[in-house]
Amino acid sequence: MTARRILFLDHTAALGGAELCLLDVAEHFRATSQVALMEDGPLRAALEQRGVRVTVLERAGSLQRVKRESSVPGVAAVGAVLGAAQEVARLARGYDLVYANSQKAFVVACASAAFARRKVLWHLHDILDPHVFSRVNIGVDVFLANYVASRVIANSQATANALVARGGTRARIDVVYNGLDPAVADAVRAHDVAAARASIGVGGAPLLGLFGRLAPWKGQDVAIRALAICADSGVQLAIVGGALFGEEAYGAELRALVAELGLERRVHFLGFRSDVPVLMRAVDVLIHTSVTAEPFGRVIVEGMLAERPVIATAGGGASEIVEVGVTAWQVAPNDPAALAAAIAEVLGNPARAREVAAAGRRSALERFTLAATLPLTERAVERVMGAAS
Ligand code: UDP
Ligand code: GLC
């Protein structure tokens, strides 16, 4: 197969799940491809460390100020998109296609197609929910997906279904789940796990782990409320993640909630960490608490690969990842009592927890490895190259 020359484009250089996904995909295509970022940040160093060529676009900075919920695309926003699009177009001339990894990047990629006449592939990582994104944003995305992009990769059926529900054309979408490298989980050393656990300072108490950026929709408050009603008052909770996209106020709210509920000695905020695979092995149970449907949910798969018992919130990609009662436990969103009951069940049945965790790992090894998903990404790229528009 011809090695396709891909210009990957992302608006952010923070390490969110979509960007960690891009890291692996861009590494796979690195011999013939490069990544253009609309800001500088940790993703650049992470890509370069993997041998991926990166350009930080100079004129894209002003686009960062255009909010996702804004309903009127102002003159400044249009100007920022066009400026960035010209810069992308110049780069794109050396590539076969532009692979947009975020919504803002997608709009810029589509505008750049007008200048550079390159095909556009959109990797959609979000559920286009009108409660989350403005109707104008969704309308623009759907129009561009149907008439400008050659194809769309959706990170789950749920993400694909939401796009179709807003008017997107089903036949243009390929669903490709995120893949992970199991070698990362397998390389974790026991003494690092012991050291991580010791640093949290919980001794032998049961420790729950909640991984993900601090954001209201990730539901860290639900986990804290569940902890407050856990029958076993010795259970501890590690919250791993930072406020990546300006959601510091929510972090402060979480700390206030912990104080209000008197849980200071049981809730451990570890901030953003780059040793997630180690920390996952250091916890006894992995919980996932998103209150709106999770588009995919890398942390769930990572927990399964780490062979932890996982309690996931129903909905979105999470429900596609887990087989309830076989590979994980599932609870309704935003229901601390249900979560507390599930935690009690898992902690009270260690043999069953081990059995489910082992089944979870087997399932993740079968369905969510890079070895399984990268060929599907390659196929989507080939379809773009063969597509008419
Ligand atoms: N993550 C991380 N450090 C942290 C918290 C999370 O590296 O402190 C990683 C986590 O391992 C996962 C990603 O961030 O790979 C989050 O992806 P997910 O799909 O779960 O959620 P998103 O943030 O993309 O909505
Ligand atoms: C997004 C979604 C998350 C998904 C990730 C990778 O950030 O919020 O659910 O796992 O992209 O596709």
Side-chain angles (χ1 to χ4, degrees):
M1 190 188 2
T2 334
R4 297 299 181 186
R5 299 171 307 160
I6 305 175
L7 178 65
F8 294 96
L9 182 65
D10 206 320
H11 79 284
T12 177
L15 294 177
E19 287 64 44
L20 292 169
C21 175
L22 173 66
L23 198 54
D24 290 325
V25 175
E27 183 184 12
H28 180 69
F29 289 98
R30 71 182 169 185
T32 49
S33 302
Q34 76 154 304
V35 176
L37 298 176
M38 287 156 64
E39 66 173 13
D40 203 352
L43 177 61
R44 177 167 68 88
L47 284 161
E48 286 171 350
Q49 215 173 22
R50 304 256 194 118
V52 180
R53 211 172 134 212
V54 187
T55 301
V56 177
L57 301 176
E58 280 165 16
R59 292 172 59 195
S62 53
L63 248 185
Q64 301 310 332
R65 293 187 288 277
V66 180
K67 293 228 174 324
R68 68 180 181 181
E69 67 272 18
S70 72
S71 55
V72 185
V75 177
V78 173
V81 167
L82 290 178
Q86 281 172 331
E87 219 177 332
V88 171
R90 265 197 302 279
L91 279 176
R93 291 199 177 95
Y95 294 88
D96 299 318
L97 74 150
V98 182
Y99 181 123
N101 197 58
S102 65
Q103 289 184 56
K104 278 184 189 168
F106 179 49
V107 174
V108 170
C110 288
S112 79
F115 302 110
R117 310 220 153 271
R118 287 294 178 275
K119 298 194 177 204
V120 175
L121 169 62
W122 184 21
H123 193 158
L124 172 58
H125 294 275
D126 300 309
I127 289 183
L128 295 182
D129 173 352
H131 301 292
V132 179
F133 301 99
S134 80
R135 282 175 192 281
V136 170
N137 274 10
I138 294 177
V140 168
D141 284 342
V142 170
F143 174 83
L144 295 175
N146 287 347
Y147 299 108
V148 181
S150 295
R151 297 197 64 80
V152 178
I153 292 177
N155 64 354
S156 66
Q157 293 291 349
T159 295
N161 291 347
L163 176 59
V164 172
R166 311 310 308 170
T169 308
R170 170 89 60 191
R172 290 178 162 245
I173 309 173
D174 294 304
V175 171
V176 181
Y177 292 130
N178 278 214
L180 286 117
D181 179 0
V184 172
D186 294 347
V188 167
R189 291 174 305 189
H191 73 264
D192 290 334
V193 174
R197 175 125 187 160
S199 73
I200 305 171
V202 294
L207 177 60
L208 313 172
L210 174 55
F211 296 78
R213 58 200 159 89
L214 303 184
W217 75 274
K218 290 290 185 184
Q220 281 92 354
D221 57 307
V222 179
I224 293 167
R225 290 186 197 284
L227 191 72
I229 53 178
C230 265
D232 176 352
S233 61
V235 179
Q236 307 274 318
L237 168 66
I239 296 183
V240 185
L244 293 191
F245 301 110
E247 278 137 337
E248 286 80 7
Y250 180 63
E253 270 174 42
L254 291 175
R255 285 184 167 80
L257 180 63
V258 166
E260 184 192 316
L261 297 172
L263 295 172
E264 291 94 332
R265 298 166 69 89
R266 294 174 59 198
V267 178
H268 309 268
F269 288 97
L270 305 190
F272 181 87
R273 297 281 294 248
S274 50
D275 58 347
V276 164
V278 173
L279 289 167
M280 284 205 171
R281 289 266 306 277
V283 306
D284 300 299
V285 182
L286 187 127
I287 60 174
H288 164 261
T289 54
S290 296
V291 297
T292 56
E294 183 72 55
F296 177 69
R298 294 170 63 88
V299 291
I300 298 169
V301 174
E302 289 163 350
M304 291 160 84
L305 287 172
E307 211 168 333
R308 298 295 90 176
V310 173
I311 304 173
T313 294
S319 291
E320 295 167 45
I321 295 171
V322 307
E323 197 182 332
V324 181
V326 180
T327 60
W329 279 261
Q330 197 176 54
V331 290
N334 214 353
D335 189 343
L339 179 57
I343 291 166
E345 196 185 317
V346 175
L347 293 176
N349 298 283
R352 171 109 182 97
R354 274 196 298 277
E355 190 187 322
V356 172
R361 180 172 152 88
R362 283 196 299 274
S363 166
L365 285 174
E366 224 168 81
R367 299 175 64 210
F368 304 111
T369 61
L370 285 165
T373 60
L374 284 172
L376 302 179
T377 305
E378 281 176 359
R379 196 167 72 186
V381 166
E382 288 314 306
R383 283 185 178 162
V384 169
M385 295 316 295
S389 62

